[in-house]
Amino acid sequence: MHTDPTLRVLIVDDTLVLRELLALTLESDDRFSVAGWAADGAQAIRLVEQDQTDAIILDLQMPGMDGLTALPRLRQLCPDAVIAAHSFDGEALERAMALGADLSVAKGSGLEELLNAIALGRETRRQLQSSEKNNAA
């Protein structure tokens, strides 16, 4: 795992313009760096099999393997990553949370809100991991 304090984020969305916008937004915020991007769930799985990431922004509706189908495998491969489900569909967001997403963010919400939620989610995960280690000792 890397020691860089920035969160490495994988962007998974079938819309090229949105992937580019998210990448520009992430790179302009010193809390984040782009670990990569994928146009569907299968491509995302291949990427995380090669290199772990700290967070995943996961579109739920995509051609090919959608985000809901990919989510359990992504969670298995990246158990410590913050997974932010991203969709217009409220029911799909609820299903994503049941499948292991940490956050559900409606498309159309502000990008700053999305990034702040990811940063907060990562800090919460770190605190829980630290607490679990202390309790085990």
Coordinates of all heavy atoms in Angstrom, one line a residue, residues 36-78:
G36 N -7.0 5.9 -11.5 CA -7.4 5.4 -12.8 C -8.8 5.6 -13.0 O -9.5 6.2 -12.2
W37 N -9.3 5.2 -14.2 CA -10.7 5.3 -14.5 C -11.1 4.1 -15.4 O -10.3 3.5 -16.1 CB -11.1 6.6 -15.2 CG -10.3 7.0 -16.4 CD1 -10.5 6.6 -17.6 CD2 -9.2 7.9 -16.4 NE1 -9.6 7.2 -18.5 CE2 -8.8 8.0 -17.7 CE3 -8.6 8.7 -15.4 CZ2 -7.7 8.9 -18.1 CZ3 -7.6 9.5 -15.8 CH2 -7.2 9.6 -17.1
A38 N -12.4 3.8 -15.3 CA -12.9 2.6 -16.0 C -14.3 3.0 -16.5 O -15.0 3.8 -15.9 CB -13.0 1.4 -15.0
A39 N -14.7 2.4 -17.7 CA -15.9 2.7 -18.3 C -17.0 1.7 -17.9 O -18.2 1.9 -18.3 CB -15.8 2.7 -19.8
D40 N -16.7 0.6 -17.2 CA -17.7 -0.3 -16.7 C -17.1 -1.1 -15.5 O -15.9 -1.0 -15.2 CB -18.2 -1.3 -17.8 CG -17.2 -2.3 -18.3 OD1 -16.2 -2.5 -17.6 OD2 -17.4 -2.8 -19.4
G41 N -18.0 -1.9 -14.9 CA -17.6 -2.7 -13.7 C -16.5 -3.7 -14.0 O -15.6 -3.9 -13.1
A42 N -16.5 -4.4 -15.1 CA -15.5 -5.4 -15.4 C -14.1 -4.7 -15.5 O -13.1 -5.3 -15.0 CB -15.8 -6.1 -16.7
Q43 N -14.0 -3.6 -16.2 CA -12.8 -2.9 -16.3 C -12.3 -2.4 -14.9 O -11.1 -2.5 -14.6 CB -12.9 -1.7 -17.2 CG -11.6 -1.0 -17.6 CD -11.8 0.1 -18.6 OE1 -12.9 0.6 -18.8 NE2 -10.7 0.6 -19.2
A44 N -13.2 -2.0 -14.0 CA -12.8 -1.5 -12.7 C -12.3 -2.7 -11.9 O -11.2 -2.5 -11.2 CB -14.1 -1.0 -12.0
I45 N -12.9 -3.9 -12.0 CA -12.4 -5.0 -11.3 C -11.0 -5.4 -11.8 O -10.1 -5.6 -10.9 CB -13.3 -6.2 -11.5 CG1 -14.6 -6.0 -10.7 CG2 -12.7 -7.5 -11.1 CD1 -15.8 -6.9 -11.0
R46 N -10.7 -5.3 -13.1 CA -9.4 -5.6 -13.6 C -8.4 -4.6 -13.0 O -7.3 -5.0 -12.7 CB -9.4 -5.6 -15.1 CG -10.0 -6.8 -15.8 CD -9.7 -6.9 -17.2 NE -10.3 -5.8 -18.0 CZ -11.5 -5.7 -18.5 NH1 -12.4 -6.6 -18.2 NH2 -11.9 -4.6 -19.2
L47 N -8.7 -3.4 -12.9 CA -7.8 -2.3 -12.4 C -7.5 -2.6 -11.0 O -6.3 -2.5 -10.6 CB -8.4 -0.9 -12.7 CG -8.4 -0.5 -14.1 CD1 -9.2 0.9 -14.2 CD2 -7.0 -0.3 -14.6
V48 N -8.5 -2.9 -10.1 CA -8.2 -3.0 -8.7 C -7.5 -4.4 -8.4 O -6.8 -4.5 -7.4 CB -9.4 -2.8 -7.8 CG1 -9.9 -1.4 -7.9 CG2 -10.5 -3.9 -8.0
E49 N -7.6 -5.3 -9.3 CA -6.8 -6.6 -9.2 C -5.4 -6.3 -9.4 O -4.5 -7.0 -8.8 CB -7.3 -7.6 -10.2 CG -8.6 -8.3 -9.8 CD -9.2 -9.2 -10.9 OE1 -8.8 -9.1 -12.1 OE2 -10.0 -10.1 -10.5
Q50 N -5.0 -5.3 -10.2 CA -3.6 -4.9 -10.4 C -3.1 -3.9 -9.4 O -1.9 -3.9 -9.1 CB -3.5 -4.3 -11.8 CG -3.9 -5.2 -13.0 CD -4.0 -4.4 -14.3 OE1 -3.6 -3.3 -14.4 NE2 -4.6 -5.1 -15.3
D51 N -3.9 -3.1 -8.9 CA -3.4 -2.0 -8.0 C -4.5 -1.6 -7.0 O -5.6 -1.2 -7.5 CB -2.9 -0.8 -8.8 CG -2.2 0.2 -7.9 OD1 -1.7 -0.1 -6.8 OD2 -2.1 1.3 -8.4
Q52 N -4.3 -1.6 -5.7 CA -5.3 -1.2 -4.7 C -5.5 0.3 -4.8 O -4.7 1.0 -5.3 CB -4.8 -1.6 -3.3 CG -4.8 -3.0 -3.1 CD -6.1 -3.6 -3.0 OE1 -6.9 -3.2 -2.1 NE2 -6.4 -4.6 -3.8
T53 N -6.7 0.7 -4.4 CA -7.1 2.1 -4.4 C -7.7 2.4 -3.0 O -8.1 1.5 -2.3 CB -8.0 2.4 -5.5 OG1 -8.3 3.8 -5.6 CG2 -9.3 1.7 -5.4
D54 N -7.7 3.7 -2.7 CA -8.3 4.1 -1.4 C -9.8 4.4 -1.5 O -10.5 4.3 -0.5 CB -7.6 5.4 -0.9 CG -6.1 5.2 -0.7 OD1 -5.7 4.2 -0.1 OD2 -5.3 6.1 -1.2
A55 N -10.2 4.8 -2.7 CA -11.7 5.1 -2.8 C -12.1 4.8 -4.3 O -11.3 4.8 -5.2 CB -11.9 6.6 -2.5
I56 N -13.4 4.5 -4.4 CA -13.9 4.3 -5.7 C -15.2 5.1 -5.9 O -16.1 5.0 -5.0 CB -14.3 2.8 -5.9 CG1 -13.0 1.9 -5.8 CG2 -14.9 2.5 -7.3 CD1 -13.3 0.4 -5.7
I57 N -15.3 5.9 -6.9 CA -16.6 6.5 -7.3 C -17.2 5.6 -8.3 O -16.6 5.5 -9.4 CB -16.3 7.9 -7.9 CG1 -15.7 8.8 -6.8 CG2 -17.7 8.6 -8.3 CD1 -15.2 10.2 -7.3
L58 N -18.3 5.0 -8.0 CA -18.9 3.9 -8.8 C -20.3 4.3 -9.4 O -21.3 4.4 -8.6 CB -19.0 2.7 -8.0 CG -19.5 1.4 -8.6 CD1 -18.6 1.0 -9.7 CD2 -19.7 0.3 -7.6
D59 N -20.3 4.5 -10.7 CA -21.6 4.7 -11.3 C -22.4 3.3 -11.3 O -21.7 2.3 -11.4 CB -21.4 5.1 -12.8 CG -22.7 5.4 -13.6 OD1 -23.7 5.5 -13.0 OD2 -22.6 5.5 -14.8
L60 N -23.6 3.4 -11.0 CA -24.4 2.1 -10.9 C -25.0 1.7 -12.2 O -25.3 0.5 -12.3 CB -25.5 2.3 -9.8 CG -24.9 2.6 -8.4 CD1 -26.0 2.8 -7.4 CD2 -23.9 1.6 -7.9
Q61 N -25.3 2.6 -13.1 CA -26.0 2.2 -14.4 C -24.9 2.4 -15.5 O -24.6 3.5 -15.8 CB -27.2 3.0 -14.6 CG -28.4 2.6 -13.8 CD -28.5 3.3 -12.5 OE1 -27.9 4.3 -12.3 NE2 -29.2 2.7 -11.6
M62 N -24.4 1.3 -16.0 CA -23.5 1.3 -17.1 C -23.7 0.1 -18.0 O -24.2 -0.9 -17.6 CB -22.0 1.2 -16.6 CG -21.6 2.4 -15.7 SD -19.9 2.1 -15.1 CE -20.2 0.9 -13.8
P63 N -23.4 0.3 -19.3 CA -23.5 -0.9 -20.2 C -22.4 -1.9 -19.8 O -21.5 -1.6 -19.1 CB -23.3 -0.3 -21.6 CG -22.9 1.1 -21.4 CD -23.0 1.5 -20.0
G64 N -22.6 -3.1 -20.3 CA -21.7 -4.2 -19.8 C -22.0 -4.5 -18.4 O -23.1 -4.6 -18.0
M65 N -20.9 -4.6 -17.6 CA -21.1 -4.9 -16.2 C -21.4 -3.6 -15.4 O -20.6 -2.7 -15.4 CB -19.9 -5.6 -15.6 CG -20.1 -5.9 -14.1 SD -18.6 -6.6 -13.3 CE -18.6 -8.2 -14.0
D66 N -22.6 -3.5 -14.8 CA -23.0 -2.3 -14.1 C -22.3 -2.3 -12.7 O -21.7 -3.2 -12.3 CB -24.5 -2.1 -14.1 CG -25.2 -3.2 -13.2 OD1 -24.6 -3.8 -12.4 OD2 -26.4 -3.4 -13.5
G67 N -22.5 -1.1 -12.1 CA -21.9 -0.9 -10.8 C -22.4 -1.9 -9.7 O -21.7 -2.3 -8.8
L68 N -23.7 -2.1 -9.7 CA -24.3 -3.0 -8.7 C -23.8 -4.4 -8.8 O -23.6 -5.1 -7.8 CB -25.9 -3.0 -8.9 CG -26.6 -1.7 -8.4 CD1 -28.0 -1.8 -8.8 CD2 -26.4 -1.5 -6.9
T69 N -23.5 -4.9 -10.0 CA -23.0 -6.2 -10.3 C -21.5 -6.3 -9.8 O -21.1 -7.2 -9.2 CB -23.1 -6.6 -11.7 OG1 -24.5 -6.5 -12.1 CG2 -22.6 -8.0 -12.0
A70 N -20.8 -5.2 -10.1 CA -19.3 -5.2 -9.8 C -19.1 -4.9 -8.3 O -18.0 -5.3 -7.7 CB -18.7 -4.1 -10.6
L71 N -20.0 -4.3 -7.6 CA -19.7 -3.8 -6.2 C -19.3 -4.9 -5.3 O -18.3 -4.7 -4.6 CB -21.0 -3.1 -5.7 CG -20.7 -2.1 -4.6 CD1 -21.8 -1.0 -4.5 CD2 -20.7 -2.8 -3.2
P72 N -19.9 -6.0 -5.2 CA -19.5 -7.0 -4.2 C -18.0 -7.5 -4.5 O -17.3 -7.6 -3.5 CB -20.5 -8.2 -4.4 CG -21.7 -7.6 -4.9 CD -21.2 -6.4 -5.8
R73 N -17.6 -7.6 -5.7 CA -16.3 -8.0 -6.0 C -15.3 -6.9 -5.7 O -14.2 -7.1 -5.2 CB -16.2 -8.4 -7.5 CG -14.8 -8.9 -7.9 CD -14.4 -10.2 -7.3 NE -13.1 -10.6 -7.8 CZ -12.2 -11.2 -7.0 NH1 -12.4 -11.5 -5.8 NH2 -11.0 -11.5 -7.6
L74 N -15.7 -5.7 -6.0 CA -14.8 -4.5 -5.7 C -14.6 -4.4 -4.2 O -13.5 -4.2 -3.7 CB -15.4 -3.2 -6.2 CG -15.4 -3.1 -7.7 CD1 -16.2 -1.9 -8.2 CD2 -14.0 -3.0 -8.3
R75 N -15.7 -4.7 -3.4 CA -15.6 -4.6 -1.9 C -14.6 -5.7 -1.5 O -13.8 -5.5 -0.6 CB -17.0 -4.7 -1.3 CG -17.0 -4.9 0.2 CD -16.3 -3.9 1.0 NE -16.9 -2.6 0.9 CZ -16.2 -1.4 0.9 NH1 -14.9 -1.4 1.0 NH2 -16.8 -0.3 0.8
Q76 N -14.8 -6.9 -2.1 CA -13.9 -8.0 -1.7 C -12.4 -7.7 -2.0 O -11.6 -8.0 -1.2 CB -14.3 -9.3 -2.4 CG -13.5 -10.5 -2.1 CD -14.0 -11.7 -3.0 OE1 -14.3 -11.6 -4.2 NE2 -14.0 -12.9 -2.4
L77 N -12.2 -7.1 -3.2 CA -10.8 -6.8 -3.6 C -10.2 -5.6 -2.8 O -9.0 -5.6 -2.6 CB -10.7 -6.5 -5.1 CG -11.0 -7.7 -6.0 CD1 -11.2 -7.2 -7.4 CD2 -9.8 -8.7 -5.9
C78 N -11.0 -4.7 -2.4 CA -10.6 -3.5 -1.7 C -11.4 -3.3 -0.4 O -12.2 -2.4 -0.3 CB -10.8 -2.3 -2.6 SG -9.9 -2.3 -4.1

